[in-house]
Amino acid sequence: MPEFSTEAATADLWLGGRLRLHQPPRGAHRAGTDAVLLSRLVKPPPGAVVVDVGSATGAVGLAMAAYEATANVVLVERDPDLAVLAARNIDENGVDGRVRVIAADILSIEGRRTAGLSPNMAELVLTNPPFFESGRHRPSPVPGKASAHTFSDGDLESWLKACLDLLKPGGTLGLVHRADALPDCLAALHRRFGGIVVRPVQARSERPAIRVLVTGIKGSHAPFSLAPPLILQGTDGAMTPEADALHRGLPWPS
């Protein structure tokens, strides 16, 4: 059963009003800080094809289209209700012709090909994979939220291999994941990507990382590097200047 009716979706201003997003009602899977960070992780080259894998309602891909006027964005989402909302958001934000949504299961090679997702099609793939494996956490009682957050065993590697399939040689993958999943992410990227950069994300400077932002280049042999952490809040609990700028959708730094 679907977790919500698309008619019950809320329309929210996002990124300081840059985007108006139709999303499932609160309690379901909605765009948050992870999507904000992912949308600003990589600046694509002019005219790039950007694929947002597991796009939900399209927040990351639509943000990329808002930041980069020449980007051509493909939103890929397996949940048909979320894909409907993604299509609505494309219309709402006036990016018809530069952004399209494809309803497909990224883990199915046949499904990808049938849907028109071809090998080596993108300069940039961005993804926020489901965060948990079955049996390793207590799933949400909300069906759609549970499916958005949960993989079967081994599916993270399959998911990232699918992302690799969509990338052109020399193309860039960008992802956000839980900090404790970093070893699994690096294992899945091993020998497939080089120039890997990991940036920890911490709620506050004195606390352990809660997320990691990871980029890698398909087929590269460049070395690994660890970037300085992104701190979300200061000691007063307010957003740091960098986190605030990201959430308000300020322009790319020059």
Side-chain angles (χ1 to χ4, degrees):
M1 294 178 62
E3 65 173 287
F4 69 98
S5 164
T6 55
E7 303 307 314
T10 62
D12 308 304
L13 293 179
W14 203 60
L15 295 181
R18 270 182 177 262
L19 295 176
R20 190 167 185 263
L21 291 182
H22 294 271
Q23 301 193 82
R26 296 191 183 281
H29 180 62
R30 295 164 60 87
T33 294
D34 291 344
V36 170
L37 301 182
L38 184 60
S39 71
R40 292 295 290 274
L41 183 55
V42 180
K43 181 176 174 64
V49 173
V50 180
V51 181
D52 177 4
V53 173
S55 68
T57 60
V60 171
L62 287 166
M64 185 62 65
Y67 293 134
E68 274 303 320
T70 65
N72 296 289
V73 179
V74 181
L75 311 176
V76 182
E77 175 53 48
R78 67 182 178 184
D79 184 301
D81 292 321
L82 293 177
V84 166
L85 292 183
R88 189 182 299 174
N89 289 331
I90 292 171
D91 292 338
E92 183 82 19
N93 290 282
V95 289
D96 287 327
R98 289 201 300 120
V99 184
R100 60 192 173 103
V101 60
I102 291 177
D105 181 358
I106 195 67
L107 296 179
S108 166
I109 296 176
E110 181 180 355
R112 294 201 302 269
R113 299 294 180 261
T114 300
L117 295 169
S118 56
N120 307 325
M121 66 180 287
E123 282 82 13
L124 174 62
V125 172
L126 298 171
T127 189
N128 182 358
F131 273 7
F132 302 101
E133 288 191 359
S134 299
R136 295 190 181 183
H137 77 117
R138 179 178 295 176
S140 168
V142 180
K145 195 169 186 178
S147 64
H149 290 173
T150 306
F151 265 143
S152 298
D153 290 348
D155 276 355
L156 175 61
E157 182 172 8
S158 297
W159 185 281
L160 294 179
K161 284 177 67 176
C163 293
L164 175 78
D165 175 60
L166 301 179
L167 274 173
K168 294 180 178 179
T172 300
L173 171 70
L175 70 95
V176 59
H177 214 306
R178 301 185 335 270
D180 65 338
L182 180 59
D184 290 336
C185 292
L186 294 178
L189 299 179
H190 184 58
R191 299 188 184 280
R192 300 179 177 118
F193 292 87
I196 294 171
V197 179
V198 174
R199 188 178 192 191
V201 179
Q202 299 167 221
R204 297 193 182 189
S205 60
E206 73 276 12
R207 296 181 182 175
I210 52 174
R211 297 285 187 268
V212 286
L213 298 166
V214 182
T215 61
I217 301 171
K218 181 177 178 177
S220 171
H221 297 288
F224 171 90
S225 61
L226 183 65
L230 168 59
I231 310 298
L232 298 179
Q233 297 178 346
T235 56
D236 59 356
M239 282 190 183
T240 61
E242 183 177 9
D244 180 63
L246 291 171
H247 281 84
R248 290 195 292 128
L250 296 185
W252 292 102
S254 57

